[in-house]
Amino acid sequence: MYAYSDIRTVHLEITAKCQAACLQCDRNINGGDLNPNINLDELSLDDCKQIFQPDLVKQLDSLFMCGNLGDPVVAKDSLEVMEYLRSQNSNLWLSMNTNAGAKKPEWWSELAKVIGRKGHVIFSLDGLKDTNHLYRQNVNWDICMDSAEAFIGAGGRARWDYLIFGHNQHQVEEAKALSEIMGFEKFMSKKTGRFFSNVQAKGKQEHQGVNRKGKETQKLTKPDEKYVNKALKKEDILKEKYGTMNNYYDKASINCKVLKDMNVYVSATGHLMPCCWVAGQMYKWWEKPGENQIWRFIDNVGGLDELSVLKHGFKKVLEGEFFNNIKSSWKKTSCNGGDGKLKVCSVKCGTEFDPFGAQFEEVNI
């Protein structure tokens, strides 16, 4: 699938820790109890130096901190890791996605200096003071604003990403105006693709959140038609063509989003995967450990330990059988079994249904 010298972009999840409890995050159960299938792992500066040897960092065009579970600013060594990466490659594009609800303003100012003009921070702010916390539970709005002001004030390049739900759609224009006043370079209003259940393979109208005491909190609802993800409107068309969405996934042509960018993912456990979507299949809270199809691919190469870049190095894992087996599976005509097409690839990179990509289509505000 890749040669070591091909890699140009790395998606790094430096930590699985986060102060937030977002309602649709795999780290918790609908915003409530912690996912029982995960540990709160984190990579240290020493770990990252071991994984990202100077020769690898020098060949990269981009490295971004994001992930499935954690927020990079919560990690103990995220700033120091950014400093190390910048010291090895002055042209490397560095970025991170964050809820911005942690760290002191001084930390954010220092981050801006380290990243410089060759990189940015994507601030995930889904509303304003009275609404942002309805999805991003436990995130303090005042801290978010202090963080953004400090980062931008120190010369940092910033983008505001805004997931649109029924409860915050009325504030999109106001938030965009605020972003311009504050000095954000871009405001991205995102038409969320999460009103589709991959488990049930069908669309949904709402999602009920809870807190850590099990009490119902915000009910997420689809926004008005103007803000609905365009891909979700294709469900009926695909069912008419294929019979069911699962039949579509069996037959879907794959256009891998990460392969064309020479992009790979490193988890907070130090495992190398093609992307965060493949890695995320390992620990869905509604499945028993080892139940998901991805584990058959992992077992076929000798187990998860074989994918540890901390133990085996980046090159050996990358050029091993695991990546090639996934790519080979795309030619299969069924997602059944460990020797079938890897279903998550059809779900995320099938050519006829792409809710992820449709999030970023411009909204006329």
Side-chain angles (χ1 to χ4, degrees), residues 66-303:
C66 186
N68 292 321
L69 304 170
D71 192 298
V73 302
V74 175
K76 178 178 177 291
D77 292 342
S78 54
L79 178 60
E80 290 75 13
V81 171
M82 286 289 198
E83 289 175 330
Y84 165 70
L85 295 167
R86 177 58 76 222
S87 73
Q88 298 301 315
N89 186 342
S90 61
N91 291 314
L92 179 63
W93 183 268
L94 292 172
S95 69
M96 67 166 59
N97 294 61
T98 177
N99 65 55
K103 293 292 196 289
K104 299 292 186 181
E106 295 78 15
W107 186 93
W108 288 97
S109 297
E110 190 62 30
L111 178 66
K113 296 171 186 176
V114 171
I115 292 178
R117 302 303 290 171
K118 294 180 179 179
H120 65 184
V121 168
I122 298 173
F123 290 80
S124 297
L125 305 171
D126 306 322
L128 295 171
K129 186 178 179 69
D130 60 332
T131 54
N132 183 58
H133 64 283
L134 297 179
Y135 176 72
R136 297 194 180 272
Q137 295 184 139
N138 303 335
V139 175
N140 183 294
W141 178 256
D142 292 333
I143 293 176
C144 294
M145 291 294 97
D146 289 345
S147 301
E149 288 174 358
F151 181 76
I152 295 169
R157 306 177 69 172
R159 186 178 101 192
W160 181 329
D161 274 16
Y162 188 114
L163 286 170
I164 306 172
F165 301 102
H167 68 265
N168 67 5
Q169 63 182 356
H170 64 291
Q171 295 176 319
V172 174
E173 293 184 25
E174 186 179 352
K176 184 176 188 296
L178 176 61
S179 75
E180 293 169 353
I181 292 170
M182 294 181 67
F184 282 86
E185 290 190 344
K186 186 171 183 179
F187 180 85
M188 176 65 70
S189 50
K190 294 173 65 177
K191 299 178 179 180
T192 178
R194 291 194 176 185
F195 285 103
F196 186 88
S197 170
N198 291 324
V199 177
Q200 299 179 5
K202 65 178 184 180
K204 59 182 182 179
Q205 297 298 314
E206 59 187 34
H207 182 95
Q208 180 62 61
V210 298
N211 61 23
R212 287 172 182 166
K213 295 181 180 179
K215 182 180 178 181
E216 289 187 353
T217 55
Q218 182 66 27
K219 179 181 287 186
L220 303 178
T221 58
K222 289 176 75 171
D224 292 343
E225 185 71 15
K226 175 182 178 180
Y227 298 123
V228 171
N229 186 294
K230 186 173 71 174
L232 302 185
K233 302 174 185 179
K234 297 181 179 180
E235 181 183 350
D236 290 340
I237 297 172
L238 291 172
K239 285 182 176 178
E240 183 176 347
K241 181 177 179 179
Y242 293 98
T244 68
M245 286 299 294
N246 282 323
N247 286 344
Y248 158 68
Y249 294 139
D250 285 341
K251 305 300 181 184
S253 297
I254 306 298
N255 183 16
C256 179
K257 290 181 173 66
V258 296
L259 183 57
K260 61 186 177 182
D261 294 330
M262 298 301 172
N263 181 347
V264 291
Y265 170 83
V266 177
S267 73
T269 55
H271 294 102
L272 185 63
M273 294 272 176
C275 63
C276 62
W277 298 307
V278 169
Q281 300 305 296
M282 295 192 297
Y283 41 72
K284 298 300 186 184
W285 59 260
W286 55 84
E287 294 178 331
K288 295 179 181 178
E291 186 176 77
N292 191 280
Q293 183 191 21
I294 188 58
W295 286 102
R296 298 167 205 173
F297 281 77
I298 293 170
D299 291 342
N300 285 342
V301 296

